[in-house]
């Protein structure tokens, strides 16, 4: 099937031209995309909501800057999942072309803001781990809750500002410039800038993790010498090594899920993508949801504090049915005590 060619005149910004970007031609492809989006999106919202609950329900975890950054990552993944699934399924599955250019760019800006904030939250988490493992004695002075919230505020504001540029005028309709072959109304140069910014963030994360892992290896060697003495420093080093490995797993999943999308974007910037590549891009886009879904699983498996909080929540739910079956009076007493508290 031939590629739907985008006209070079002003009609390239019309609503009918958006049909050229609907590359799913068969019902099986649409069902597959809808199934993947709904499955990954639902699990992502549930898991990240659980992470937020576990963090903020514990006074110990919600005060730590590292978990503040993780909560930002979870919130960004929730927003990205909701906005991405609704807009992506409506566009590719239900062929929703009724929205205006502004509405489409607003949805695209929401997706870009959320995914960029997710990526930037990982960068802050990596920097937090580097400070913690390289300067442990000064960590509490350097990384305070106030500084963590300020960093997150700047991060989200910067991501929203960059994502809003197409809506504010940096689009091929307003500038009468060449449009992207993968996104309607998106200027070719803006896509170049967004890809370069994403690659820069990934490069900074890789550099930060490389330094964290180098410090972790040094601490692991030191831990072996301290294990015989059984001191507290050995436990601290063991915790840093565990967190470094956890963050490495997050980074590996991030790169594996985002690299196909970025590679196809870069290819579209140098040459006109074929119809097959544009279909591959549509399916590879769902890997971003997979990344957001896998992150909470890694935290639950590797973080002792979140793991213990999850066990407490599960045990609480298991005890409540037993108490209600064995003693109805106990349930009423429990409720009254909760109200008094």
């Amino acid at each position: 099937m031939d590629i739907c060619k985008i006209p070079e005149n002003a009609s390239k910004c019309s609503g009918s031209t958006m049909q050229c970007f609907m590359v799913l031609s068969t019902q099986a492809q649409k069902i597959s995309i809808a199934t993947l989006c709904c499955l990954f999106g639902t699990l992502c919202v549930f898991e990240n909501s659980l992470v937020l609950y576990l963090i903020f329900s514990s006074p110990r975890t919600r005060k730590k800057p590292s978990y503040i950054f993780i909560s930002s990552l979870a919130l960004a993944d929730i927003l990205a999942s909701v906005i991405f699934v609704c807009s992506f399924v409506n566009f590719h599955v239900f062929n929703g072309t009724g929205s205006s250019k502004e509405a489409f760019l607003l949805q695209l800006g929401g997706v870009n803001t959320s995914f960029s904030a997710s990526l930037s939250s990982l960068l802050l988490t990596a920097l937090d781990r580097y400070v913690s493992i390289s300067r442990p004695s000064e960590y509490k002075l350097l990384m305070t809750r106030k500084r963590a919230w300020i960093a997150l505020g700047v991060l989200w504001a910067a991501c929203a500002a960059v994502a809003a540029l197409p809506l504010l005028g940096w689009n091929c309709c307003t500038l009468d410039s060449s449009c992207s072959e993968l996104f309607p109304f998106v200027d070719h140069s803006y896509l170049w800038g967004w890809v370069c910014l994403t690659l820069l963030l990934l490069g900074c994360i890789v550099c930060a993790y490389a330094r964290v892992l180098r410090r972790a290896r040094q601490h692991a060697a030191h831990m072996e010498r301290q294990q015989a003495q059984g001191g507290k420093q050995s436990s601290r080093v063991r915790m840093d090594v565990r967190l470094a490995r956890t963050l490495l797993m997050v980074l590996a999943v991030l790169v594996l899920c985002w690299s196909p999308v970025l590679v196809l974007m870069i290819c579209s910037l140098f040459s006109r993508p074929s119809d097959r590549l544009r279909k591959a891009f549509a399916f590879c886009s769902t890997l971003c949801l997979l990344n957001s879904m896998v992150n909470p699983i890694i935290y639950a498996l590797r973080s002792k504090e979140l793991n213990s909080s999850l066990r407490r929540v599960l045990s609480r739910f298991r005890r409540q049915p037993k108490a209600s079956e064995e003693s109805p009076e106990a349930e009423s007493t429990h409720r009254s005590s909760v109200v008094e508290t």
Side-chain angles (χ1 to χ4, degrees), residues 102 105-106 108-113 116 156-171 190 194:
E102 290 75 15
L105 292 178
L106 180 62
L108 184 62
V111 174
N112 287 343
T113 300
S116 298
W156 280 86
C159 293
V162 173
L165 290 177
L167 185 62
L168 297 177
W170 193 356
N171 57 75
Y190 173 80
W194 190 86

Side-chain angles (χ1 to χ4, degrees), residues 9-147:
N9 51 26
S11 64
K12 66 183 177 182
C13 298
S14 63
S16 59
T17 307
M18 294 178 64
Q19 297 178 357
C20 299
F21 296 87
M22 299 176 182
V23 294
L24 304 182
S25 56
T26 64
Q27 194 68 18
Q29 294 174 354
K30 295 181 179 181
I31 293 176
S32 300
I33 283 288
T35 302
L36 291 174
C37 288
C38 293
L39 178 62
F40 292 162
T42 302
L43 291 176
C44 178
V45 171
F46 172 75
E47 293 172 358
N48 285 284
S49 299
L50 180 61
V51 169
L52 288 177
Y53 172 76
L54 294 177
I55 291 176
F56 287 98
S57 62
S58 173
R60 183 179 179 182
T61 55
R62 67 168 174 255
K63 294 180 180 179
K64 293 184 176 182
S66 57
Y67 286 104
I68 293 177
F69 296 145
I70 291 176
S71 64
S72 172
L73 174 63
L75 178 61
D77 287 337
I78 290 175
L79 294 177
S81 300
V82 173
I83 302 174
F84 177 85
V85 170
C86 293
S87 58
F88 195 79
V89 171
N90 179 64
F91 184 80
H92 284 287
V93 178
F94 298 105
N95 298 332
T97 58
S99 60
S100 62
K101 177 194 72 175
E102 290 75 15
F104 178 83
L105 292 178
L106 180 62
Q107 294 176 359
L108 184 62
V111 174
N112 287 343
T113 300
S114 303
F115 279 127
S116 298
S118 176
L119 190 62
S120 301
S121 297
L122 279 176
L123 176 59
L124 289 180
T125 306
L127 295 177
D128 173 77
R129 283 297 93 209
Y130 175 71
V131 175
S132 175
I133 200 172
S134 62
R135 305 174 71 176
S137 60
E138 305 175 19
Y139 174 76
K140 291 185 178 180
L141 296 176
L142 295 175
M143 193 63 66
T144 62
R145 277 185 293 170
K146 181 179 180 180
R147 291 180 178 179

Side-chain angles (χ1 to χ4, degrees), residues 18 60 62 72 74 113 140 188 200 206 212 218 237 256 261 312 340:
M18 294 178 64
R60 183 179 179 182
R62 67 168 174 255
S72 172
T113 300
K140 291 185 178 180
H188 193 271
L200 178 62
V206 171
V212 168
Q218 295 175 355
V237 173
L256 290 176
V261 174
R312 286 196 300 269
E340 292 175 1

